[in-house]
Each structure stands twice: as structure tokens, then as C-alpha cells.
Amino acid sequence: MTREFNHLEWPFFDDAHRDLARTLDQWCQDQNLSALDDADVYAACRDLVRRMGQDGWLRYCVPSGDGGELGGRHPQLDSRSLCLIRETLGRYHALADFAFAMQGLGSGAISLGGSDALKKRYLPSVAAGKRIAAFALSEPEAGSDVAALSCAAREEGGDYVLNGHKTWISNGGLADFYCVFVRTDADAGSRGISAFVVDADTPGLEIQEKIDVMSPHPLALLRFDQCRVPASNMLGELNQGFKLAMRTLDVFRCSVAAAALGFARRALDEGLGHARRRKMFGQTLADFQLTQAAFGDIAAEIDQSALLTYRAAWVRDVAGRSSTSETAMAKMISTESAQWVIDRVLQMFGGQGVVTNTPIERLYRDIRALRIYEGATEVQKLIIARELLKG
């Protein structure tokens, strides 16, 4: 693959970010991530988490704590680092990006809303790759409409008892613990949701069904049946779980844009290599003006996505203000653009582009879900409009 780092010259980054991107890129090469064996996605994810934890990359998924006791790299989660890591991993293999991202998203509610005791119990092992995390929010009838969730918890003898289902749960059946969002007030809508940490071996929690999707990764339907957790496992305050879920998604949604950016960059690499090699009518595919025009469009789409993505991360990290609108724009544009870029490059490959398990065919499957999860494109448009109308 070609490895251009021109965007690292942009003023969104400092030297530590530039070193991070280059060092991780070399690690990906040394680990031969592009040739990752993902026939068993559960085994592959376990191995990826172990390797990334062992070599320190998961330290970016959690905060360090005041004295470094939580195992993180920075005192607070750094959006630019998360984005650079996901962009880089995404260029090499979607499952590597997934394994990293879920350690952050899966433990994010603990980082943002957990008690000191919960942070110390879970976050160091997440950073070390010794525990796998999961974020359990979606339900069969509550996806984009989070406030409609019905999985419920009732207080009983100092504990909370959970009943209901969660679906589309990434790392379902693989995780060591789940950050679960449940209804604790039946009549309060979004103001009646609370969050709990639930260990995977808690009685009453079962993996009801593993879900196969077009871009394979660990995904499952969870069932809670009289699942009892201590009140001390609550994240944040009672009935404030919706806000905590939104804060968690706000942090990691920007990194979804970065993952899409990494997919698009890989597609460009694959397209350039193919166009230079492919002989047609006495010249190469790259010699045709139509091909050159397509690459011009692709390069502009990628830079547009990168600028929006790292602007959003910079707003959160440096400007220190809400980046809700900027993040929604980045997520919407980067995922939609990456879908277009990958489709356009696949067209250049002709019949070769639809051969299964080639890089461009995998990218075509990998990108599709990013336009849906952590807020579909249509939801991002509503978020942007809502922020505009507030003004």
C-alpha cells in the first residue's frame, strides 16, 4: 500500500499524534494485519485485543486517571488519537478497527460515568487487553429511537434485577462485561433510563442468538432473565443513563468517521495499484482520462472527509466545547463518501471487483454498516438541523 501522511501536517495535530500515526502504521505492517485470518471472527478478535493490549494501543481507549492507575495513555480520552488509530487500523483490516473501537466504546460509559471503584475494577484490564468490553444499548424495537427501549430493571433488596432483550450487540458472546442501558422508570421516556455494568457470567444473562452479518464480526442478541446486579454497578446517576449513552456516543461517533476514512484510503490504494497495472487497448487503465477524473473526485472526497473528521476531533480536544454538530457532519459525510469511493474503485476492477475475499470486495461489505451504526445517516441530518435550530 502507498502510505501518504500529508494530512498529518495539518494544524489539528501535534507531534505526538504524528508519531502515533506513523508508529501504528509500522506496527500494522509488522503484524501483517492485511493478511489477518478472520475465518473465526471470535478467535481473531480475542487475538487482536490481546496483541493490541500487549503492545500498548488499547491504552488510548481509556483515561489514565490522576495517578495513572486506570492504565490509559492520556488523562482524558483524546479524540484525535482515537481517530488516527481507527483510520490506520481501518486501512489494514476492518476487524482490527472493530476490535480496537469496541474496547473504547464498550468501556466508554465506565470512563465517563463510572464510580472510582468501577473504573479501577474494569479499565486497567481493558487497557491491557485482558478483558473485552461491550456496549449494550439497542433493542429489537429500539434502535435509532433509544428512548423507546423496554429492557427494564427494578430495585430489589439493594440490587437491580434486569429483564428483557438487547440486540445488535457488538462483542456479544465474546465480551467479559457489558455496559447495559435499561429502563428504571416506566413512564419517564428518555429520563427513565439507567446504566449498569453486567459481567458476562452473571446468572440470568444469556446469549440467545449469534447474528451473522455481511461484514463478519461478533454480534449477538442478549437475553436478561431475572439478572441480578448490585446497585454499586450503576453507571452515573439513577435515570440519567440516556445522557450517559449520548455522551459516550458523542465521543466515539467521530472515530466511526475516521474508520470510514481508513476504508476509503485503502480503496484508493487498491484502485491506484490496479489502474497502473491493468492493460487495456494498448495502454494502462490509468492512462484514460475517465480514470484520472475518477481519481480526482476520489481524492477530493477523501480530503473532505478527513478535514471534517479531524475538525470535529480538534473541537472536542482543543476547543473544549461540544462537538455534536461537527461530529454528526463528519460521521455523515465520511461514511457516505467512503461508500461512494469504494463503489467507484470496485467499478474500475470490473469482474475482479466482485470476487469474494479480495480487498476491494471486503471493503464493499465492510463500509455498509458504518452508514447505520452509532446513528444512521438520516439521524445525523436531524442532529445537525437540531443544533442549527437551537441557535
Side-chain angles (χ1 to χ4, degrees), residues 9-30:
E9 300 171 354
W10 295 348
F12 299 124
F13 308 108
D14 57 32
D15 287 341
H17 292 115
R18 297 178 180 104
D19 289 342
L20 165 64
R22 293 188 172 96
T23 304
L24 178 57
D25 185 84
Q26 186 60 54
W27 183 84
C28 291
Q29 295 177 57
D30 295 342

Side-chain angles (χ1 to χ4, degrees), residues 45 171 273 353 372 375:
C45 282
N171 277 347
I372 297 172

